[in-house]
């Protein structure tokens, strides 16, 4: 999911690399405690409004460009996530968030159908809300509200 944001890349980078930033930009995040920050060894948790708690373990960090991380519930398989910023003149940038989800089943055909019909649409809705949240915080200067861009079946309060 890519969103153009009307702010310089440096401003967006400063926001998404602030410890605990998800509490300000993520409409489904209730808490974002940090264990270690910043860099390729960064670690934090995201407490979703649904009650789920995921751990994020950063694996790659390039200042001013982006980072990669693995995310998942403790003791379960993880998904891989990549955040990237690319400048766009004048004074704007693109924020791209890509997700490679964990496998939901070992049955190959069923796995394809689940990704196509369930996981893909749900992840696009999720990422659209997160990128809108970053844009909102950067351009408006105020934190997003819970479910500001709509609810989500998996991550909103139940």
């Amino acid at each position: 999911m890519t969103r153009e944001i009307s702010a310089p890349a440096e401003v967006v980078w400063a926001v998404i690399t602030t410890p605990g930033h998800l509490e300000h930009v993520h409409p489904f995040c209730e808490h974002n405690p940090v264990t270690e920050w910043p860099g390729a060894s960064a670690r934090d948790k995201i407490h979703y409004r649904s009650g789920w708690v995921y751990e994020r373990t950063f694996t790659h960090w390039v200042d001013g460009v982006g980072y990669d991380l693995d995310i998942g519930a403790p003791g379960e398989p993880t998904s891989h996530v990549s955040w990237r910023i690319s400048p766009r003149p004048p004074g704007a940038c693109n924020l791209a968030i890509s997700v490679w989800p964990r496998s939901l089943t070992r049955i190959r055909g069923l796995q394809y159908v689940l990704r196509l019909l369930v996981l893909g649409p749900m992840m696009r809705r999720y990422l659209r809300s997160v990128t809108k949240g970053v844009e909102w915080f950067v351009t408006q200067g105020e934190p997003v509200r819970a479910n500001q861009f709509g609810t989500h079946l998996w991550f909103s309060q139940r």
Side-chain angles (χ1 to χ4, degrees), residues 30 39 56 62 90 111 116 129:
E30 194 161 6
R56 300 193 317 160
V62 179
Q111 184 177 39
L116 181 68
S129 291

Side-chain angles (χ1 to χ4, degrees), residues 18-19 24 26 32 42 56 70 78 82 90 104 109 135 147:
T18 299
H24 302 293
H26 196 308
N32 182 213
R56 300 193 317 160
D70 293 324
T78 59
S82 177
L104 298 174
E135 177 183 38
N147 304 313

Side-chain angles (χ1 to χ4, degrees), residues 83-142:
W83 291 58
R84 291 292 182 274
I85 299 172
S86 53
R88 293 187 49 90
C93 68
N94 282 340
L95 171 63
I97 305 175
S98 303
V99 177
W100 292 268
R102 67 186 178 102
S103 181
L104 298 174
T105 179
R106 294 191 190 278
I107 303 170
R108 217 163 163 70
L110 181 57
Q111 184 177 39
Y112 174 77
V113 170
L114 286 173
R115 284 190 182 184
L116 181 68
L117 299 177
V118 179
L119 195 56
M122 294 295 274
M123 287 310 299
R124 281 190 294 279
R125 181 181 184 123
Y126 172 82
L127 294 174
R128 196 169 23 254
S129 291
V130 174
T131 57
K132 279 183 179 180
V134 173
E135 177 183 38
W136 174 267
F137 185 74
V138 167
T139 61
Q140 302 302 312
E142 58 185 57

